[in-house]
C-alpha cells in the first residue's frame, strides 16, 4: 500500500460486504449488501486513470485493512463500520459513502470532515424499490445514473487535491 507519486492514476478501494462465519463470529446475515456489485465496480473501473481494488475487510487482518486503506486515494462502500478506515486515507483522499436508505446517521460525514478528506454520500433514491431482503441480508441495487456522479466528483476532487499536495514538494 505504498503511495506512488503517480499523480495521474488514482487507486479506489471498494469495500464489499458479504455474509461470513469464523470461529469467533457468525455473520450469516449481513445488511447493506450490493446486488449489482460487479456492475458498480465495472463502472468505476471505466473512469479514466482509475484502478479499483475490491476488498472484504471481514477476511483481512486489521493491519492489512489499514495498509489497504492507506495505499488508496478514494474509498467507496456501503454505510458500515469498515468506512472508519477512511481515517487512514492520505490527506488528499476521498470517501464515497453509499446508503440503502435515509437516516443511517452522519458518522462518516463527521469522520471525513475531521480527517480533512473529500466526502460524497449516495443514498438509494428509490427506496423501498431497488431494495430486497432475505435470510442472508438486505441488498440494494445501485442505480448507476444517480450513483456515478458522486464517484466522478470524488475522483475529480481527489485528483486536484493530490496534484496540489505533490506540487508542494
Amino acid at each position: 500500500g505504498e503511495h506512488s507519486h503517480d499523480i495521474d492514476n488514482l487507486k479506489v478501494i471498494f469495500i464489499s460486504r458479504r455474509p461470513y462465519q469464523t470461529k469467533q463470529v457468525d455473520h450469516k446475515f449481513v445488511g447493506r449488501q450490493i446486488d449489482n456489485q460487479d456492475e458498480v465496480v465495472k463502472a468505476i473501473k471505466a473512469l479514466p486513470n482509475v484502478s479499483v481494488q475490491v476488498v472484504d475487510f471481514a477476511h483481512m487482518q486489521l493491519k492489512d485493512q489499514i495498509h489497504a486503506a492507506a495505499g488508496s486515494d478514494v474509498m467507496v462502500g456501503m454505510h458500515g463500520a469498515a468506512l472508519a478506515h477512511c481515517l487512514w486515507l492520505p490527506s488528499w483522499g476521498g470517501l464515497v459513502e453509499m446508503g440503502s436508505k435515509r437516516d443511517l446517521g452522519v458518522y462518516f460525514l463527521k469522520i471525513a470532515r475531521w480527517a480533512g478528506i473529500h466526502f460524497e454520500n449516495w443514498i438509494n433514491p428509490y427506496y423501498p424499490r431497488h431494495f430486497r431482503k432475505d435470510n442472508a441480508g438486505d441488498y440494494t441495487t445501485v442505480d448507476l445514473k444517480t450513483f456515478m456522479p458522486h464517484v466522478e466528483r470524488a475522483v475529480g476532487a481527489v485528483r486536484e487535491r493530490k496534484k496540489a499536495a505533490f506540487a508542494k514538494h
Side-chain angles (χ1 to χ4, degrees), residues 86 95 106-119:
C86 74
L95 172 65
V106 293
Y107 319 105
F108 300 110
L109 165 65
K110 288 183 172 174
I111 290 172
R113 287 230 173 106
W114 183 73
I117 61 173
H118 184 87
F119 179 78

Side-chain angles (χ1 to χ4, degrees), residues 13 21 53-54 56 66 84 91 104 113 118 122 135 137 149 156:
I13 185 167
Q21 275 177 290
Q53 178 192 12
V54 178
D56 185 339
I66 292 169
S91 58
L104 292 173
R113 287 230 173 106
H118 184 87
W122 174 86
N135 59 7

Side-chain angles (χ1 to χ4, degrees), residues 60-136:
M60 293 167 72
Q61 299 282 334
L62 180 61
K63 66 174 172 38
D64 297 328
Q65 296 175 27
I66 292 169
H67 199 64
S72 304
D73 298 298
V74 180
M75 180 176 287
V76 179
M78 268 284 183
H79 177 90
L83 298 189
H85 284 307
C86 74
L87 283 171
W88 314 116
L89 290 171
S91 58
W92 60 81
L95 172 65
V96 181
E97 176 187 8
M98 305 161 80
S100 50
K101 54 182 187 254
R102 300 208 172 278
D103 304 320
L104 292 173
V106 293
Y107 319 105
F108 300 110
L109 165 65
K110 288 183 172 174
I111 290 172
R113 287 230 173 106
W114 183 73
I117 61 173
H118 184 87
F119 179 78
E120 292 284 338
N121 183 18
W122 174 86
I123 295 165
N124 173 15
Y126 305 110
Y127 183 85
R129 288 181 299 133
H130 292 213
F131 181 84
R132 69 181 180 87
K133 230 174 176 159
D134 65 18
N135 59 7

